[in-house]
């Protein structure tokens, strides 16, 4: 790791923590798969950008954060929200456009936010979250709150101007921000090898005088360890870090994308390193966790989603006058 | 089915217009995010996987190759700026901005560069650039993917702006746009892409700057653009039962605006409702309404009415989104205030 | 000189408003390109060298330090996005965009983020952000540094837009903007910066959303904003000789618009000319004109008239630039068509 | 030099070429100083961004170009225009807002362009020229014209998004573009050390998998040699290059800026390495050029400016109907 100063050795996650990661990843997986099922069954009309396959990044990075730390997310934000503690009931209700949703049904999948949880929002504009995270970091710095801001973004987003401006600004102002690239190898239908004129997104860190780190995004332990170091670095006032997590999305860009730009073999090769399977192996091997216990966790998460679905279904559509509320705090 | 009867989607009409111009003129190129898809995978047989996020360009890279149909990184200010530079040096680029909402990251190449370059160079430069962009609500994509924003382009001197209302006009206007020596913004409403219409096989231009009378009538002029032309048509049918005979104007071009067609109609009917899915302030509806209020004032029998979206971001919830968009009921209600 | 008589420039009024709010509220910060100048040279005694490209902020970094008065790299989408993030997490940033023309590289943080965040979060977020930006022609900076573009901000739901016409209103509106919990765009015309006026010493708010009657009259309503308020006043004086008694309305806020003040005046005078330095299409003038044509129609004695810039980029040559901007002569000429 | 493949050794400029450089730099200097004099004397109202001190960059880089190569410039563009062969008469007339100007008086200092000379325009928007140069490079590539595009930009512009997007795009598309950074140590009143989170702009080249080169911007021979190599590289189809030239501007950011953000000593230290003085020394030392000859060149350039001034002064203001011409090629 190329951090400027050596940090304390990153703590090995405890059994308890590992089980929490498993739970977090299983919740995200269950949420996404439930969403797919509901759409497929016609119970829910719409689409969304699923993060199935990438759960370890959300769980590992958010596992390294305090509750009041900030996160900015992307169009592919369900996992980040859940890992940051946003209520699945409210999230599901949001996807149903119900008034009990995180955004009263006015935001939808690409705009789920919960400021009470430090979740500053999914974002439909590629790259937009990175400067916003700088602002949250600036607040943290000026108010000496000790908080850190994490900005998730994709490999495709590494080619947009706001990436450049945000990373430079964070470095110039020495902000407590960790930029987490989820390199899932594609921006829509475009392979990262084509769009990114560099071998790794993390290679760009030197252009901003900040550490650039690569983690195995399928291994939540590696993600956690490197995120933890990066977060500690930022929290200690040593400036921003760029952390690239190598991962993969199993579904297409959005639900409905047939993903004809990649081979079945490629998908298979990544699925064989599924984050839940890898962690389950580790838990069995090093922590004597039995298959039963893991099945139990996954079943619990399914039950959690049953509840979320019931909650969402039972909730009301927003009243029509909600069309023009929340536009302003005050409009004289 | 004879050639005359051929019916295709707006999506296909767009594809045809670009294809024909690319065949005709080797300086025409197409660039944008995933206008092909699977870039760099040609060897693996995976090229042209998307043909654009809305699949209008399917097959073009296969026919014209990756030199002329270029996928771009997610770099809107980069590739639109490049399109300006290419246009100013001899190519005739068709660039795509997937959603008009993304103009927030790349207005500059269109505004301060493409639109002004001719003027700023004292006429030495020209910028034959076509920008295709998707507008409008209706597919549940909420505040950051559903705006109209054509009023921004219309505000800017040096840009031409066209807004087809169906497949036929999409093909004709896009062909005209690509052949035009000025920068043209081609705004296509997402909900029109799958709609079908008779479209001639051969290439043709529909003139930029020309509106059309979509329905003739004597009591009232309804003015629409993009999707609201259909809304006006629907309202006109309903208004028959109210004893109102409506004329419907489909603007098609916002800049230049066909003032004469609008004014001639309103001068005859004496009543007007402008219907616009855009936001209400400083928008298309205010523009057309103020034109009428000035130049057709003496013929008006009542206030100049507008039906627009509310002054609010586009909501996600389906029920709210539906309420957000102008409906025939809204138009009828407002129209009846004039009688 | 007593306190009441104190006369200062608009530039100083802006400085005072920010200074007072920064003293009052430690969450207020100022950021932008060279808002101080000489960043990082404090040790060499070279700090605060510019105080902004137009020198409104001179002395603020000296008083409040470089933690609260932050120079930025040339990264508008970066620092405006940061301002949004800071505002949404508890600070109250005042950000500067040196020339409104640069919005082409950074509209997104204002439009898709600041303006919509409250709505998109179902009311959970607020964005108390003030954007100060310089508008207008008249200093020979041509097409890319002289536009108005306030109609873009006005079009966007969720933004408030204020446009002072003098030092007094600049101070009051800027104070109100900084204290407002919504994002406010404060557009200041460059030619106003050096103009002087009596401005009270103490902090005060001029309410956002309130126009003012700059001159009372009975025959005609002239409506201006920013510099065109003075143009209207000048025209009104000249029109006296034509036997026309003009009322002049200074809009001051474009969003929300003080519809009542506008409508009440026009309903009384029956005649209106809207004067706007912006481009003519989908702009401020069309907006106000269409309001009047709808809601004051029954009181109108003649067409709703507009005087705007031409549909052309702002030219460099001094003679052309002068002709580009609406003049009192232009206003008088159009006004007389109404009699 | 970190070019991918070794190019032919860059040719040492001949005596004739050096004299051409001297002439080019002297012309730029004379133009700028004449502009200052005219404004000071009140014969010309206005301001502009002067490149006095930076002449070697314009002369050395444009000296490495063919006549039909493309250049995009910045707000500080007089030198680039002159070095690219734009007529000083037309340029001066433009500054006077006269109808004989490069842009009929409608563009002014920040928009001088001459497409017949491949000069695609000064630009009032920081960073805007870089993507435009990519487009010119794309035209060159697709039409196989063999042309190269050079994009000048400042150290401050290295922090704006379009820099990032343009360099990445040029690399992805393997375009014949040379990005020339004129690092004059300031963006307006902001020192490069503050705004740029890197030691050198050229350090950012690795983020785009392109060669990054630094030249001594006061030494026209060094600029020429490195520009020549970069241009050859691009022309040979080997892709874009980032060339950083270390230089300095003697005047403030614009004419009228008191430049209170820097010390007199700093200015002095750079003035002592003036590009004209350095080249004069070299000409005297290595090429037996006498002071007389150099005086003669400078006098010639002054005469050239006398002519330009006379031309501009004698020209007409644009007619008022020019206000709405050239907005469109055709407006039905
Ligand atoms: C500014 C902008 N440009 C384009 C898009 C359309 N778009 C949405 S997601 C996406 C791909 C993003 O790729 P990446 O950053 O790798 O994230 P991933 O989808 O792989 O998670 C694109 C191009 C957008 N939403 N915003
Ligand atoms: C997008 C944009 N932001 C800001 C400005 C204002 N501005 C003009 S020149 C300049 C400094 C540019 O610095 P640099 O790139 O180093 O060029 P230099 O002036 O030193 O030649 C700035 C901030 C602008 N013209 N455009
Ligand atoms: Mg990706
Ligand atoms: Mg500089």
């Amino acid at each position: 790791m190329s951090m400027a100063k050596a940090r304390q050795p990153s703590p090995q996650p405890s059994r308890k923590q590992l089980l929490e990661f498993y739970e977090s990843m299983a919740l995200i997986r269950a949420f996404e798969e439930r969403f797919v099922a509901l759409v497929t069954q016609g119970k829910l009309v719409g689409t969304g950008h699923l993060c199935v396959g990438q759960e370890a990044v959300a769980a590992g990075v958010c596992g390294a954060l305090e509750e009041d730390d900030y996160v900015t997310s992307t169009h592919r934000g369900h996992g980040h929200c859940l890992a940051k503690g946003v209520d699945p009931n409210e999230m599901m209700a949001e996807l149903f456009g119900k008034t009990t949703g995180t955004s009263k049904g006015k935001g939808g999948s690409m705009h789920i936010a919960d400021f009470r949880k430090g979740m500053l929002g999914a974002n439909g504009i590629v790259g937009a979250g990175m400067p916003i995270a700088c602002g949250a970091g600036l607040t943290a710095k000026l108010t000496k709150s000790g908080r850190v801001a994490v900005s998730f973004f994709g490999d495709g987003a590494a080619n947009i101007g706001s990436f450049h401006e945000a990373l430079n600004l964070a470095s110039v102002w020495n902000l407590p921000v960790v930029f987490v690239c989820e390199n899932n190898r594609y921006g829509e239908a475009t392979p990262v090898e084509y769009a990114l004129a560099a071998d790794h997104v993390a290679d760009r860190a030197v252009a901003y005088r900040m550490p650039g780190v690569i983690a195995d995004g399928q291994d939540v332990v590696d993600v956690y360890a490197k995120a933890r170091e990066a977060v500690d670095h930022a929290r200690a006032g040593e400036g921003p870090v760029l952390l690239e997590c190598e991962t993969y999305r199993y579904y297409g860009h959005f639900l409905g994308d047939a993903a004809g730009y990649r081979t079945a073999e490629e998908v298979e090769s990544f699925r064989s390193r599924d984050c839940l399977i890898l962690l389950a192996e580790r838990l069995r091997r090093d922590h004597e966790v039995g298959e039963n216990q893991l099945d139990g966790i996954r079943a619990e998460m399914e039950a959690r989603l049953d509840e979320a679905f019931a909650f969402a279904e039972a909730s009301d559509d927003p009243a029509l006058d909600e069309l023009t509320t929340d536009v302003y705090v005050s409009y004289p | 089915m004879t050639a005359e009867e051929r019916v295709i989607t707006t999506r296909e009409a767009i594809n045809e217009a670009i294809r024909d111009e690319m065949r005709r003129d080797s300086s025409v190129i197409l660039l944008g995010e995933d206008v092909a898809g699977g870039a760099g995978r040609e060897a693996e047989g995976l090229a042209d996987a998307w043909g654009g996020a809305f699949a209008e360009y399917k097959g073009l890279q296969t026919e014209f190759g990756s030199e002329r149909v270029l996928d771009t990184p997610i770099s809107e200010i980069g590739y639109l700026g490049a399109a300006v530079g290419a246009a100013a040096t001899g190519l005739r680029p068709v660039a795509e901005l997937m959603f008009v909402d993304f103009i927030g990251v790349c207005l500059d190449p269109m505004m301060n560069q493409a639109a002004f370059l001719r003027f700023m160079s004292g006429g030495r430069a020209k910028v034959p650039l076509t920008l295709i962009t998707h507008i409008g609500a209706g597919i549940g994509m909420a505040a950051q993917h559903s705006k109209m924003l054509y009023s921004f382009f219309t505000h800017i001197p040096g840009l031409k702006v066209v807004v087809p209302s169906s497949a036929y006009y999409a093909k004709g206007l896009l062909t005209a746009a690509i052949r035009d020596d000025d920068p043209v913004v081609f705004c296509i409403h997402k909900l029109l892409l799958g709609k079908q219409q008779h479209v001639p096989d051969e290439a043709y231009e529909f003139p930029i700057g020309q509106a059309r009378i979509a329905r003739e009538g004597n009591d009232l002029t309804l003015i629409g653009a993009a999707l609201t032309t259909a809304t006006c048509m629907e309202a006109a049918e309903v208004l028959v039962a109210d004893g109102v005979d409506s004329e419907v104007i489909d603007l098609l071009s916002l800049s230049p605006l066909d003032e004469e067609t609008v004014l001639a109609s309103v001068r005859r009917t004496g009543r007007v409702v402008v219907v616009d899915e855009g936001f209400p302030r400083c928008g298309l509806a205010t523009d057309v309404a103020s034109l009428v209020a000035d130049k057709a004032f003496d013929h008006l029998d009542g206030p100049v009415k507008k039906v627009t979206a509310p002054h609010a971001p586009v909501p996600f919830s389906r029920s709210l989104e539906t309420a957000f968009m102008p409906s025939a009921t809204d138009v009828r209600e407002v129209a009846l205030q004039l009688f």
Side-chain angles (χ1 to χ4, degrees), chain A residues 161-277:
Chain A
S162 20
F163 163 87
H164 180 66
E165 299 192 9
L167 269 75
N168 188 62
L169 191 67
S171 188
V172 166
W173 285 350
N174 198 45
L175 299 176
V177 181
V178 179
F179 298 95
V180 178
C181 179
E182 297 185 278
N183 183 345
N184 60 10
R185 314 207 59 75
Y186 294 89
E188 290 187 349
T190 299
V192 63
E193 299 83 3
Y194 175 82
L196 184 86
D199 292 337
H200 302 281
V201 174
D203 292 352
R204 292 191 165 164
V206 304
Y208 313 106
R209 215 153 33 199
M210 69 172 79
V213 185
I214 298 179
D216 176 355
Q218 301 314 101
D219 177 3
V220 69
V221 176
D222 195 46
V223 171
Y224 169 76
K226 285 168 177 162
R228 185 63 202 269
E229 242 182 301
V231 167
D232 288 351
H233 180 93
R235 205 184 306 281
E238 290 171 21
V241 179
L242 172 56
L243 170 61
E244 176 178 4
C245 302
E246 298 185 321
T247 181
Y248 201 75
R249 60 165 156 76
Y250 298 165
Y251 284 94
H253 172 62
F254 57 89
L255 181 56
D257 170 22
Y261 41 83
R262 61 188 192 184
T263 61
E265 298 81 63
E266 182 184 294
V267 180
E268 236 0 273
S269 83
F270 280 94
R271 272 189 184 270
S272 70
R273 294 197 71 246
D274 184 80
C275 60
L276 282 159
I277 297 178

Side-chain angles (χ1 to χ4, degrees), chain A residues 75-76 124 126 154-157 184 186-188 253, chain B residues 33 74 76 102:
Chain A
H75 54 288
R76 199 177 302 288
V126 166
D155 50 291
N184 60 10
Y186 294 89
E188 290 187 349
H253 172 62
Chain B
E33 289 158 17
I74 309 177
E76 285 87 0
F102 307 162

Side-chain angles (χ1 to χ4, degrees), chain A residues 105 111 124 159 186 188-190 194, chain B residues 34 38 41 71 75 144 311 317:
Chain A
H111 308 301
N159 302 316
Y186 294 89
E188 290 187 349
T190 299
Y194 175 82
Chain B
D34 301 298
R41 297 263 161 108
D71 277 337
S75 306
Q144 295 177 335
H311 187 67
S317 169

Side-chain angles (χ1 to χ4, degrees), chain A:
Chain A
M1 166 158 236
S2 53
M3 298 283 170
K5 299 185 196 173
R7 313 282 323 143
Q8 345 217 57
S10 81
Q12 272 301 317
S14 64
R15 182 176 189 276
K16 179 160 166 292
Q17 261 179 311
L18 290 178
L19 283 169
E20 279 166 13
F21 292 155
Y22 193 86
E23 196 177 302
S24 177
M25 298 194 307
L27 176 64
I28 297 171
R29 177 77 49 99
F31 188 93
E32 298 293 64
E33 296 291 12
R34 182 66 61 103
F35 176 68
V36 175
L38 291 170
V39 171
T40 311
Q41 295 156 18
K43 291 191 181 145
L44 180 51
V45 181
T47 179
H49 305 89
L50 304 168
C51 68
V52 180
Q54 308 182 192
E55 296 89 346
V57 182
V61 170
C62 292
L65 294 177
E66 302 296 324
E67 221 184 291
D68 60 359
D69 285 333
Y70 303 110
V71 165
T72 67
S73 176
T74 69
H75 54 288
R76 199 177 302 288
H78 300 171
H80 311 139
C81 290
L82 290 165
K84 194 68 180 53
V86 181
D87 179 28
N89 288 12
E90 290 194 12
M91 286 178 60
M92 188 57 81
E94 190 61 31
L95 296 180
F96 274 81
K98 296 299 181 74
T99 190
T100 53
T102 47
S103 307
K104 298 185 191 162
K106 296 158 85 162
S109 168
M110 277 194 290
H111 308 301
I112 293 179
D114 191 345
F115 279 66
R116 299 165 312 187
K117 303 279 181 186
M119 166 47 64
L120 306 185
N123 211 310
I125 304 299
V126 166
M130 291 182 267
I132 292 176
C134 289
L138 184 63
T139 299
K141 186 180 170 191
L142 296 198
T143 61
K144 302 188 175 44
S145 69
R147 299 186 193 183
V148 165
V150 161
S151 183
F152 290 102
F153 67 102
D155 50 291
N159 302 316
I160 201 162
S162 20
F163 163 87
H164 180 66
E165 299 192 9
L167 269 75
N168 188 62
L169 191 67
S171 188
V172 166
W173 285 350
N174 198 45
L175 299 176
V177 181
V178 179
F179 298 95
V180 178
C181 179
E182 297 185 278
N183 183 345
N184 60 10
R185 314 207 59 75
Y186 294 89
E188 290 187 349
T190 299
V192 63
E193 299 83 3
Y194 175 82
L196 184 86
D199 292 337
H200 302 281
V201 174
D203 292 352
R204 292 191 165 164
V206 304
Y208 313 106
R209 215 153 33 199
M210 69 172 79
V213 185
I214 298 179
D216 176 355
Q218 301 314 101
D219 177 3
V220 69
V221 176
D222 195 46
V223 171
Y224 169 76
K226 285 168 177 162
R228 185 63 202 269
E229 242 182 301
V231 167
D232 288 351
H233 180 93
R235 205 184 306 281
E238 290 171 21
V241 179
L242 172 56
L243 170 61
E244 176 178 4
C245 302
E246 298 185 321
T247 181
Y248 201 75
R249 60 165 156 76
Y250 298 165
Y251 284 94
H253 172 62
F254 57 89
L255 181 56
D257 170 22
Y261 41 83
R262 61 188 192 184
T263 61
E265 298 81 63
E266 182 184 294
V267 180
E268 236 0 273
S269 83
F270 280 94
R271 272 189 184 270
S272 70
R273 294 197 71 246
D274 184 80
C275 60
L276 282 159
I277 297 178
L278 290 190
L279 181 54
E281 277 168 9
R282 185 191 291 262
L283 281 164
R284 278 195 302 264
R285 192 186 58 219
D286 301 344
H287 298 279
E288 293 163 12
V289 174
E291 195 59 57
N292 277 355
Q293 190 174 348
L294 298 178
D295 289 350
I297 290 176
R298 293 204 309 282
E300 227 176 88
M301 294 307 121
E302 287 301 327
R304 189 74 198 75
L305 264 299
D306 290 342
E307 183 200 322
F309 171 60
F311 174 83
E313 215 184 20
S315 298
D316 290 330
D317 278 345
L320 284 192
D321 63 7
E322 286 287 354
L323 205 48
T324 50
T325 62
D326 301 320
V327 181
Y328 296 92
V329 176
S330 65
Y331 212 161

